[in-house]
Amino acid sequence: MALLTMNAESRFLRTNQAFSMILPDMPRALEPAEFYRERQDLPVVWLLHGTYGDHTDWVRKTNVERYAARKGVAVVMPSGLNSNYSNWSRCMLGYDMYDYVLRELMPMVQEWFPVSARREDNFIAGLSMGGRGAIKLAVNAPERFGAAAILSASPRDFATLTPEYLAGDDPVSARFAGMVENAGGMSAFLASEENVWRIIDERAASGTLPRLLFASGADDDYVMNDLRPFREHAATLGLDATFFIGEGYTHEWDFWDLAVREAFEFFGLPDVEFDAV
């Protein structure tokens, strides 16, 4: 595989930004000029990291490069800081990560690299914070993605975000309080693209949503406490969703390595034939 790191100034992040990208190797049976001349329209997986991470996480901590090689796909891994893949227009000069992914990163990659822009060839996945980003992007822009894999994350019914909860001093409460404030208050927050539970409710019956995979470690109480009620709710909606629960795993890289491999299978990507060595 080819592993690239690209740095470019971003209109939506108001800063220089890096992302990593995996591209398939050239088959040994082909001449280089033949392989690199053709626009290949490769399938592409948009892969999001979690809190405290960056664009190098997936390559450094999992075998995603081998999984991508097996499927012959491109993988794009942006840096999202701790943004929740949300727009933070009042942060410094502005840091609009949600818009960056949809309106800048995807067009850049799809126009400059040999990847497909077709919905059926584009897939999104992420772990923890990246899982929340993946489901948000997938249900708000369903015309962009054929399927999404949400690893160690779950939609949450924001009706549970009471003022008392938001005033709590634990990190999760503080994060939600910041998101509500950023949106301009609870009413605006509930009406925004952040409210994935509401959006799924509104679109589940339309047949327009991507296929969805939700994966969690069975011992990951942080996630399972939200995923169990969402799974029951999804069943009442008739949502096209698959659930993968890893016995004996918590919120950990051993599980995310397993889960991203499961995601590649869920996306329906066929294995490619390797050249004999």
Side-chain angles (χ1 to χ4, degrees):
M1 304 292 289
L3 178 62
L4 315 177
T5 298
M6 182 168 176
N7 297 81
E9 183 178 314
S10 166
R11 172 78 55 86
F12 293 99
L13 303 180
R14 287 85 171 177
T15 184
N16 230 21
Q17 184 72 1
F19 67 89
S20 293
M21 185 172 183
I22 297 169
L23 288 169
D25 280 334
M26 175 182 64
R28 292 188 179 90
L30 291 181
E31 286 294 319
E34 177 186 1
F35 177 74
Y36 292 115
R37 181 176 61 242
E38 296 178 352
R39 179 169 179 83
Q40 298 180 50
D41 284 336
L42 296 166
V44 57
V45 175
W46 306 85
L47 193 54
L48 310 182
H49 66 77
T51 305
Y52 308 125
D54 70 6
H55 65 100
T56 69
D57 276 18
W58 280 103
V59 172
R60 290 191 295 118
K61 299 175 182 178
T62 74
N63 290 306
V64 68
E65 195 169 355
R66 290 201 297 112
Y67 306 148
R70 184 178 302 153
K71 300 298 183 181
V73 298
V75 181
V76 180
M77 297 160 284
S79 276
L81 295 182
N82 293 334
S83 67
N84 289 304
Y85 300 94
S86 302
N87 286 340
W88 298 85
S89 300
R90 293 184 295 276
C91 174
M92 298 175 290
L93 297 179
Y95 196 83
D96 296 332
M97 176 56 65
Y98 177 84
D99 284 345
Y100 167 73
V101 174
L102 291 178
R103 299 173 60 187
E104 188 166 17
L105 180 63
M106 293 186 72
M108 179 196 304
V109 170
Q110 289 167 346
E111 292 298 327
W112 284 8
F113 293 92
V115 302
S116 173
R118 295 186 296 267
R119 178 185 193 254
E120 61 268 24
D121 294 330
N122 278 264
F123 311 94
I124 190 166
L127 68 88
S128 196
M129 180 189 76
R132 294 192 296 275
I135 184 62
K136 176 169 59 182
L137 290 159
V139 302
N140 279 284
E143 72 284 357
R144 300 283 196 99
F145 305 104
I150 299 88
L151 316 180
S152 297
S154 172
R156 180 171 182 170
D157 184 357
F158 288 151
T160 64
L161 299 183
T162 63
E164 293 76 17
Y165 176 83
L166 294 175
D169 57 4
D170 64 281
V172 178
S173 297
R175 171 174 276 181
F176 277 116
M179 294 172 70
V180 171
E181 180 182 5
N182 177 59
M186 182 57 76
S187 295
F189 181 68
L190 294 177
S192 74
E193 69 274 0
E194 302 289 345
N195 194 354
V196 170
W197 187 288
R198 172 187 58 80
I199 295 164
I200 290 175
D201 276 358
E202 293 172 353
R203 298 183 177 179
S206 68
T208 60
L209 292 176
R211 294 183 301 112
L212 301 173
L213 169 68
F214 295 90
S216 175
D219 298 332
D220 188 352
D221 292 339
Y222 169 73
V223 173
M224 291 301 297
N225 287 340
D226 287 332
L227 190 58
R228 290 188 191 97
F230 174 73
R231 186 173 188 173
E232 294 176 2
H233 184 64
T236 67
L237 296 174
L239 183 67
D240 183 9
T242 299
F243 294 84
F244 173 74
I245 308 300
E247 295 297 329
Y249 291 98
T250 60
H251 213 71
E252 58 180 308
W253 279 104
D254 282 349
F255 176 69
W256 298 323
D257 184 74
L258 172 67
V260 76
R261 183 170 59 185
E262 187 74 18
F264 275 78
E265 296 301 328
F266 173 78
F267 294 153
L269 299 165
D271 290 351
V272 299
E273 294 185 6
F274 289 93
D275 293 326
V277 177

